[in-house]
Amino acid sequence: MAKNKDALNGLKMQAATEVNVPLKQNGYNGDLTAKQVGSVGGQMVRKMIENYENGVR
């Protein structure tokens, strides 16, 4: 289970970088706006769909 959590955290950090959101891996991220957090979530969904369509699991 920790392996899946690590993979999801990696995807989250990659998505944050791609949409230029200063997400901290460890620590407080409450200073981010809802728009920033939503853009990270949206990018994560796009990446998961892309990975699924390409057969990466």
Side-chain angles (χ1 to χ4, degrees):
M1 185 100 179
K3 181 179 169 184
N4 291 337
K5 188 173 182 179
D6 290 341
L8 192 57
N9 282 333
L11 179 64
K12 179 172 50 176
M13 295 308 295
Q14 180 184 4
T17 300
E18 290 174 0
V19 294
N20 296 316
V21 173
L23 186 67
K24 297 174 206 75
Q25 188 164 1
N26 295 316
Y28 181 74
N29 284 300
D31 54 340
L32 298 176
T33 66
K35 183 176 180 178
Q36 288 174 310
V37 174
S39 66
V40 172
Q43 184 68 9
M44 288 176 67
V45 170
R46 281 188 282 281
K47 295 295 255 180
M48 285 186 268
I49 292 170
E50 180 183 302
N51 288 342
Y52 178 80
E53 288 177 345
N54 292 330
V56 178
R57 295 175 197 200

